[in-house]
Amino acid sequence: MAYASRFAGRTMIVTGAAQGIGRGVALRAAAEGASVALVDRATLVDEVAAEIVSAGGTAIAVHADLETFAGARHMVAAATETLGAVDILVNNVGGTIWAKPYEHYAEDEIEAEIRRSLFPTLWGCRAVLPGMIARRSGTIVNVSSIATRSIHRVPYAAAKGGVNALTASLAFEHAGDGIRVNAVATGGTEAPPRKVPRNAGMQSDQEAVWYRAIVDQTVSSSLMHRYGSIDEQVGVILFLASDEASYMTGTVVPVGGGDLG
């Protein structure tokens, strides 16, 4: 695989890069010439970085807890020190931890969902902005979800609604600084079983019924009546990260087979 093309000479941070969509973004970005900082709490991210390097690309693994501002600052500092100024940030951390009707969520579960699916994007943007403002150049792509209209994951939906609002407001605020900010609202996506689950607890029979309802609703809401692939999400994320989307900012692009979220 040749490592050169539309991201040649660019430094890109990809968060949540150990598995799933984040891993797919990191691998393809590196294949298209980006120097990639792969960020995750899971040490599995080391394997993904090694895969890129063994194929001739440039990548580092960064271990960070992006639910904290300290973790986000560490991420940007590590990327900058090793790879150079950050040109592109892909905020991919997030995901439903529990799936159940809202009245069954405990207080600590609601807070955990918001910390998991909103704060990493808030902190990531805050940490990378000063450098982008100083250079008057930068691109941010936030991974949101069409689940802002769905069932059995209200706290997650609220978090992703926050990501959408952040995307629009940040784009408005910093277009004059040469910074573009867009988001991809991912639909249901087929992916290998997670090596590090978001929820390590055993799923009860009732919880399995509630989760199945999410799957059924997602397929029903899609005009194509199917889940998408990781590659179908990655393609749009990297389009928004590239110069091909140079006249796009403040936009949330739904990639859900016709479900607009």
Side-chain angles (χ1 to χ4, degrees):
M1 182 179 293
Y3 281 80
S5 98
R6 58 181 169 172
F7 297 113
R10 306 286 181 87
T11 293
M12 180 186 298
I13 292 176
V14 181
T15 73
Q19 49 193 329
I21 292 172
R23 177 180 181 274
V25 169
L27 290 175
R28 194 185 299 185
E32 296 196 30
S35 298
V36 186
L38 296 82
V39 187
D40 210 292
R41 291 191 297 198
T43 56
L44 291 169
V45 75
D46 298 339
E47 299 174 12
V48 186
E51 182 179 348
I52 290 171
V53 171
S54 68
T58 301
I60 62 169
V62 181
H63 302 154
D65 179 1
L66 298 180
E67 293 181 13
T68 70
F69 187 34
R73 285 185 295 181
H74 168 66
M75 166 185 80
V76 173
T80 301
E81 180 179 349
T82 307
L83 303 176
V86 178
D87 301 295
I88 302 163
L89 168 64
V90 177
N91 283 308
N92 173 66
V93 171
T96 305
I97 305 172
W98 294 276
K100 50 189 171 182
Y102 188 47
E103 68 269 22
H104 291 279
Y105 276 86
E107 179 181 357
D108 62 330
E109 292 173 341
I110 293 169
E111 291 181 353
E113 294 277 11
I114 301 299
R115 285 197 306 272
R116 181 63 175 166
S117 291
L118 176 57
F119 273 95
T121 299
L122 281 168
W123 294 138
C125 290
R126 175 62 182 83
V128 82
L129 269 174
M132 290 183 172
I133 292 169
R135 295 189 309 280
R136 301 191 64 78
S137 176
T139 302
I140 297 172
V141 182
N142 297 323
V143 177
S144 181
S145 175
I146 60 169
T148 48
R149 292 186 67 205
S150 68
I151 61 171
H152 296 174
R153 42 187 172 170
V154 167
Y156 172 72
K160 289 303 188 180
V163 169
N164 293 348
L166 166 67
T167 298
S169 295
L170 206 59
F172 208 163
E173 190 166 289
H174 290 290
D177 295 313
I179 300 169
R180 295 190 302 108
V181 188
N182 291 292
V184 171
T186 61
T189 305
E190 294 283 0
R194 291 181 62 85
K195 296 179 181 179
V196 180
R198 297 189 182 100
N199 185 350
M202 292 293 293
Q203 190 180 60
S204 70
D205 290 344
Q206 178 60 76
E207 288 169 338
V209 170
W210 286 332
Y211 186 81
R212 183 68 229 177
I214 288 178
V215 175
D216 292 344
Q217 179 256 298
T218 300
V219 173
S220 175
S221 297
S222 165
L223 302 185
M224 295 182 176
H225 300 304
R226 67 172 176 86
Y227 268 40
S229 69
I230 287 176
D231 282 346
E232 286 173 319
Q233 303 297 342
V234 168
V236 181
I237 291 168
L238 289 182
F239 163 70
L240 290 175
S242 76
D243 289 343
E244 295 171 24
S246 59
Y247 195 48
M248 293 180 68
T249 196
T251 301
V252 179
V253 179
V255 187
D259 186 351
L260 304 182

